[in-house]
Amino acid sequence: MTELNYTNIRRQLEEEKAEILKSVSGGSGLPIHMNPDRDDLAQDYITLEKTIALKAMEREQLEQVESALQRLDNGTYGLCSECSELIPTERLEILPYATLCVRCQTQHERHW
Ligand SMILES: [Zn+2]
């Protein structure tokens, strides 16, 4: 099993965080001009809904990244939050903010 490179993981997480923050605060804001006389008003609402959904997704991702950084700090990083088993390095390299091992993740998805 390959040794987990915490420095790399941390850098990856910090970069991810910066990316999200940039896109949250950046240009893709809510459409300001909503003219009720226009035919494409429905389109505006679809755009608005998409934007809100996207923001929610980004917020969720940001929370995951921040909690991963916290776990790096308090030494619980890389442990499954359900069964406390080590999450394989290979998985963390692909998904640095994973909180569940593959087995628990699969169970979660099945329940949903
Ligand atoms: Zn687990």
Side-chain angles (χ1 to χ4, degrees):
M1 187 168 153
T2 20
E3 188 80 16
L4 187 58
N5 188 331
Y6 286 102
T7 320
N8 272 352
I9 295 278
R10 185 181 287 273
R11 202 178 49 218
Q12 222 175 311
L13 285 166
E14 303 258 334
E15 272 171 22
E16 193 109 13
K17 187 176 162 180
E19 270 307 297
I20 300 168
L21 287 176
K22 204 168 69 190
S23 102
V24 168
S25 59
S28 62
L30 301 175
I32 309 159
H33 304 293
M34 293 197 22
N35 183 348
D37 295 332
R38 263 167 45 202
D39 291 336
D40 56 347
L41 183 63
Q43 190 58 45
D44 273 356
Y45 277 114
I46 293 169
T47 313
L48 187 68
E49 261 174 36
K50 271 190 196 160
T51 310
I52 292 169
L54 192 70
K55 296 274 172 209
M57 227 166 67
E58 280 168 342
R59 246 198 323 269
E60 203 173 297
Q61 208 179 354
L62 186 65
E63 272 169 28
Q64 284 181 319
V65 170
E66 285 192 325
S67 104
L69 282 166
Q70 252 170 36
R71 279 180 279 125
L72 267 178
D73 286 335
N74 66 25
T76 57
Y77 183 79
L79 296 177
C80 174
S81 63
E82 296 254 311
C83 67
S84 300
E85 272 188 36
L86 277 173
I87 301 172
T89 312
E90 291 76 18
R91 176 163 164 79
L92 290 170
E93 277 167 356
I94 301 164
L95 199 68
Y97 43 83
T99 55
L100 295 171
C101 67
V102 181
R103 203 184 51 204
C104 293
Q105 180 73 54
T106 316
Q107 271 170 8
H108 265 248
E109 277 160 13
R110 214 174 286 151
H111 280 306
W112 287 9

